[in-house]
């Protein structure tokens, strides 16, 4: 068992990691280039996530540096109680122990998610996708170097080079203790982990995010929010569905304007009965499309009768991630925000802010669409469980 590293040691490893990432910047990008050249799939969003360029390395460095500056999330007192019999009772945050992170195509997860789990006092076990193997192994090598240089055991970060069958076997019967699993990737990966895991899993959910343009919306603002929501198609916080209030003034002009802006970004538009009469909007075949997360240059634009109908539709079809109402009516916004069942709800702002860094957490391990034990971006302060500390002097019950 690894004894909890002091906060000073954890911070020193993170800062050493920042130095090594800078030193090895060119080597990481060169190795990543071989991963990119070997990738033969046609998933554009996966290719986008696989790529490591200068700005990705900058982000990795920024994330470990920022983590090192944050308060220790372990040992924080959450509750205290003086028992009648003189016992002192405290509830404090505690690390989970070992966190397994299973992910696809994103070498930055090897730094950012691992860094968050490490800072919160956990041993990290990483299982990345085969498409990013070389990049991941290079980054794990840097973790080991940082740990060694700060005289900590390299066991704190371990990489599993498993194929699918071996991963399934490990999930069903782990060869070491695993306290928490975090899958980072598409729906297939998440379903696979959920099906086979024998310990708690944080569901880092699908997007399929909605924007509702209410009849009292500022239409220029609505256009900006929709277009921005589609600015990074590989992100789980991208917009896939737009619902337009039937009573929006000059609705046809707004839809035509939206079509032209989406077409400028090469986004294919699908519509319901009311919207597919517009040129350049194609009808979709089945209502099942409302459930789909696209991760592609694709969006659905439909009409809706009211705020209540919108709430019902989002609660039925969305992935539980993010939703937006664009309106100048505060009461309608409040109704929407209180009743839409997504991890993040927005009034007049883009879904692209559902991100740990943007919401003030520094970074995130995952964006959870589950309700236990934390919802939305999971930051440093959420990657802890808790423990009761009871101090007595011989009390018996």
């Amino acid at each position: 068992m690894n004894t909890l590293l002091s906060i000073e040691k954890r911070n020193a490893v993170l800062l050493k990691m920042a130095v090594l990432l800078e030193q090895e910047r060119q080597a990481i990008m060169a190795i990543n280039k071989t991963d990119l050249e070997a990738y033969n799939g046609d998933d554009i969003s996966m290719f986008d996530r696989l790529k490591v360029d200068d700005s990705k390395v900058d982000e990795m460095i920024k994330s470990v540096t920022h983590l090192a500056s944050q308060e220790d999330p372990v040992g924080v007192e959450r509750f205290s109680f003086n028992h009648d019999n003189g016992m002192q009772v405290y509830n404090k945050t505690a690390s989970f122990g070992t966190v397994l992170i299973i992910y696809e195509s994103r070498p930055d997860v090897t730094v950012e998610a691992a860094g968050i789990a490490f800072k919160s006092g956990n041993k990290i076990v990483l299982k990345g996708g085969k498409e990013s193997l070389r990049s991941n192994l290079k980054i794990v090598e840097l973790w080991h170097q940082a740990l060694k240089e700060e005289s900590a055991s390299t066991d704190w970060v371990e990489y599993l080079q498993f194929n699918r069958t071996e991963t399934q076997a490990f999930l069903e019967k782990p060869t070491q203790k695993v306290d928490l699993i975090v899958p980072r990737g598409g729906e297939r990966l998440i379903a696979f982990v959920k099906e086979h895991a024998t310990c708690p899993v944080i569901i880092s959910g699908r997007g399929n995010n909605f924007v509702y343009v209410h009849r009292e919306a500022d239409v220029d603002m609505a256009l900006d929010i929709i277009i921005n929501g589609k600015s990074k198609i590989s992100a789980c916080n991208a917009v896939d569905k737009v619902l337009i209030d039937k009573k929006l003034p000059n609705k046809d002009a707004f839809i035509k304007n939206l079509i032209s802006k989406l077409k400028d970004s090469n986004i294919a538009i699908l519509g319901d009965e009311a919207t597919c009469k517009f040129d350049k909007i194609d009808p979709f075949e089945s209502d099942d499309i409302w459930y789909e997360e696209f991760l592609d240059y694709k969006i659905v634009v439909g009409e809706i009768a009211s705020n209540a109908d919108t709430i019902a539709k989002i609660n039925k079809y969305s992935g539980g991630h993010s939703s937006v109402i664009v309106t100048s009516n505060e009461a309608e916004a409040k109704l929407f925000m209180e009743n839409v069942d997504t991890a993040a709800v927005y009034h007049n702002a883009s879904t692209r802010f559902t991100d740990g860094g943007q919401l003030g957490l520094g970074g995130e391990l995952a964006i959870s669409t589950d309700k236990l034990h934390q919802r939305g971006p999971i930051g440093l302060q959420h990657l802890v469980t808790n423990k009761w500390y009871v101090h007595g002097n011989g009390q018996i019950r």
Side-chain angles (χ1 to χ4, degrees), residues 246-316:
K246 280 184 174 167
K247 295 200 174 117
L248 180 75
N250 304 318
K251 185 181 74 216
D252 287 8
F254 172 76
I255 293 174
K256 283 174 183 162
N257 208 349
L258 178 60
I259 292 168
S260 114
K261 284 198 176 333
L262 288 166
K263 286 293 172 191
D264 288 347
S265 304
N266 295 317
I267 291 158
I269 314 164
L270 299 163
D272 61 8
E273 217 175 301
T275 57
C276 69
K277 66 172 193 276
F278 288 90
D279 189 30
K280 300 195 177 82
I281 297 188
D282 298 316
F284 53 75
E285 282 173 23
S286 142
D287 269 357
D288 285 351
I289 198 159
W290 292 106
Y291 287 114
E292 265 184 67
E293 179 187 27
F294 297 140
L295 298 170
D296 201 350
Y297 291 96
K298 192 154 98 175
I299 200 163
V300 171
V301 177
E303 274 191 17
I304 197 115
S306 67
N307 196 356
D309 287 1
T310 302
I311 292 164
K313 185 148 195 154
I314 292 174
N315 290 349
K316 179 175 179 180

Side-chain angles (χ1 to χ4, degrees), residues 20-145:
L20 294 173
L21 285 163
E22 185 55 72
Q23 275 176 13
E24 297 292 309
R25 179 188 285 270
Q26 295 311 322
I28 295 166
M29 292 195 297
I31 287 167
N32 177 255
K33 201 158 178 279
T34 63
D35 277 336
L36 285 170
E37 283 162 2
Y39 179 67
N40 55 10
D42 54 1
D43 184 334
I44 42 178
S45 69
M46 189 177 267
F47 186 80
D48 184 42
R49 292 192 292 248
L50 176 59
K51 188 177 183 191
V52 176
D53 52 15
D54 266 315
S55 74
K56 279 255 181 87
V57 178
D58 288 343
E59 278 170 32
M60 292 178 199
I61 293 168
K62 194 172 138 199
S63 95
V64 283
T65 310
H66 181 79
L67 278 169
S69 75
Q70 288 189 283
E71 292 291 311
D72 188 357
V74 179
V76 177
E77 188 182 302
R78 308 194 320 173
F79 172 81
S80 68
F81 167 65
N82 298 335
H83 197 286
D84 295 343
N85 68 14
M87 287 189 315
Q88 293 286 329
V89 179
Y90 302 96
N91 182 268
K92 296 180 186 181
T93 57
S95 59
F96 276 96
T98 299
V99 177
L100 167 61
I101 304 168
I102 301 184
Y103 54 109
E104 297 167 327
S105 85
R106 286 189 50 179
D108 47 332
V109 169
T110 317
V111 174
E112 293 170 21
I116 289 172
F118 175 76
K119 169 87 179 201
S120 33
N122 299 288
K123 178 191 170 182
I124 318 306
V125 180
L126 299 164
K127 162 65 187 82
K130 60 181 186 298
E131 65 288 336
S132 50
L133 180 66
R134 300 172 189 86
S135 308
N136 289 338
L137 289 176
K138 174 66 185 169
I139 293 167
V140 169
E141 199 182 286
L142 301 185
W143 272 117
H144 287 173
Q145 193 181 333

Side-chain angles (χ1 to χ4, degrees), residues 217-227 254 257 261 326:
D218 173 326
V219 289
D220 292 334
M221 183 193 288
L223 286 170
D224 287 345
I225 285 169
I226 296 164
I227 299 303
F254 172 76
N257 208 349
K261 284 198 176 333
V326 186

Side-chain angles (χ1 to χ4, degrees), residues 106 184 204-207 209-210 228-229 232 235-239 320-324 342-347 349-361 363-364 366-369 375-378:
R106 286 189 50 179
R184 293 281 304 261
S204 177
R206 63 195 187 98
N209 305 312
F210 281 67
N228 181 254
K232 186 176 182 184
C236 62
N237 57 23
V239 168
H321 192 296
S322 301
S323 52
V324 180
T342 56
V345 285
Y346 291 87
H347 176 204
S350 167
T351 58
R352 293 278 293 117
F353 289 108
T354 308
D355 166 276
Q358 294 294 327
L359 297 183
L361 298 177
E364 82 211 11
I367 295 178
S368 169
T369 51
R375 211 172 176 195
I378 292 185

Side-chain angles (χ1 to χ4, degrees), residues 164 168 171-172 188-198 201 203:
R164 191 182 170 86
Q168 183 176 325
L171 288 172
E172 289 170 354
R188 282 209 310 271
L189 172 73
I190 291 164
F192 171 75
V193 172
K194 256 171 87 171
E195 186 186 343
H196 300 292
T198 47
V201 178
I203 302 303

